[in-house]
Amino acid sequence: GAGVSQSPRYKVTKRGQDVALRCDPISGHVSLYWYRQALGQGPEFLTYFNYEAQQDKSGLPNDRFSAERPEGSISTLTIQRTEQRDSAMYRCASSPRGGSTNEKLFFGSGTQLSVL
Amino acid sequence: AQKITQTQPGMFVQEKEAVTLDCTYDTSDPSYGLFWYKQPSSGEMIFLIYQGSYDQQNATEGRYSLNFQKARKSANLVISASQLGDSAMYFCAMREVNTGNQFYFGTGTSLTVIP
């Protein structure tokens, strides 16, 4: 696609429900990152992939959070048993090759998650 | 320790004046990249400028320039001739390649341009 696409744009759920957030990166991009951004704050790293391999998941807050990218393209971030503190903007970003310092990240519009 | 530090939560600048947004970083990786992104109220993340750790000259992109002081580990963004449309959040970010390809962001600076 022309840009990084995320869906849904908005997600409202009840506490305790599971949610799945989808990211479709720019076609051919090797690296895919997930960030969480609270209002007025900077993006907080969650995890990233090169191709289908999860390279770093150190930013995932706890074991309720997981991510996958099974075919090296689309990625899903899953939050199980959601809690109100999970409410935030979840952003996906991709970059072409993943191995160069000069590669910028291309961001999607994000999924605004609200847990009631 | 914070990888990226932005000490100015909010800044004001008069239209047509220049403004400097501060950023300091922490890394032991000799190879890294520094980035600035703009986030207007619409929420999108717009790439502004990049500086590589081995670059000898400061990066410039139109009205944006990066004041790179490697020994001090600072990478301040300078916006010249501020415009009303520059009002936004600005994030400094760093990419380390040799230590895991991480991409870290600061907490941001909110810039308001006053007409």
Side-chain angles (χ1 to χ4, degrees), chain B residues 74-89:
Chain B
S74 75
N76 299 339
L77 176 70
V78 181
I79 305 174
S80 62
S82 297
Q83 301 172 358
L84 295 179
D86 294 335
S87 293
M89 283 288 287

Side-chain angles (χ1 to χ4, degrees), chain B residues 6-18:
Chain B
Q6 294 182 255
T7 58
Q8 306 156 314
M11 290 282 286
F12 292 86
V13 63
Q14 203 74 36
E15 192 178 7
K16 300 181 184 177
E17 298 293 313

Side-chain angles (χ1 to χ4, degrees), chain B residues 59-104:
Chain B
T60 60
E61 289 285 350
R63 295 187 297 110
Y64 304 108
S65 61
L66 202 152
N67 184 359
F68 181 45
Q69 298 186 43
K70 193 171 183 177
R72 296 179 60 185
K73 293 188 175 180
S74 75
N76 299 339
L77 176 70
V78 181
I79 305 174
S80 62
S82 297
Q83 301 172 358
L84 295 179
D86 294 335
S87 293
M89 283 288 287
Y90 288 82
F91 294 102
C92 179
M94 175 176 68
R95 185 172 204 160
E96 300 176 316
V97 173
N98 294 333
T99 53
N101 204 27
Q102 293 277 21
F103 211 111
Y104 301 95

Side-chain angles (χ1 to χ4, degrees), chain A residues 31 33 35 37 40-43 45 48 56 58 91 95 98-105 107, chain B residues 31-33 35 37 39 42-45 47 50 89 91 95 97 100-103 105-107:
Chain A
S31 294
Y33 292 74
Y35 288 89
Q37 187 175 16
Q41 298 295 312
F45 170 78
Y48 91 93
D56 187 336
S58 63
R91 293 190 180 272
S95 69
S100 302
T101 58
N102 64 347
E103 282 194 6
K104 64 185 180 184
L105 291 182
F107 281 87
Chain B
S31 179
Y32 54 89
F35 303 77
Y37 281 82
Q39 188 174 49
S42 60
E44 61 188 309
M45 291 285 280
F47 165 76
Y50 161 82
M89 283 288 287
F91 294 102
R95 185 172 204 160
V97 173
N101 204 27
Q102 293 277 21
F103 211 111
F105 285 82
T107 53

